[in-house]
Amino acid sequence: MKLKAVSSTGKAITELTLEQQKRFIEKLAEQQDGNINYGMELSLMILGYEVVEGEE
């Protein structure tokens, strides 16, 4: 899974470093609670990212 910037400009609203992106992906993958997982994905949307499944 990876993060993809989504906006009309093609850039995220808030730029995350590659290290921050990796950490967020790791924490998201570890998460077992569906509600927390959903909240993490919503947080990413606010930052201007979406989770792309199945890609590295």
Side-chain angles (χ1 to χ4, degrees), residues 5-48:
V6 290
S7 73
S8 59
T9 63
K11 290 190 167 194
I13 295 167
T14 303
E15 294 287 330
L16 297 177
T17 66
L18 288 177
E19 185 176 315
Q20 289 171 318
Q21 290 182 34
K22 278 181 159 180
R23 183 170 162 82
F24 215 113
I25 289 169
E26 288 171 4
K27 295 296 180 187
L28 188 61
E30 291 172 1
Q31 191 48 247
Q32 299 296 315
D33 185 325
N35 289 330
I36 294 175
N37 195 321
Y38 180 68
M40 290 176 75
E41 289 185 5
L42 287 178
S43 296
L44 284 170
M45 284 187 226
I46 291 168
L47 295 174

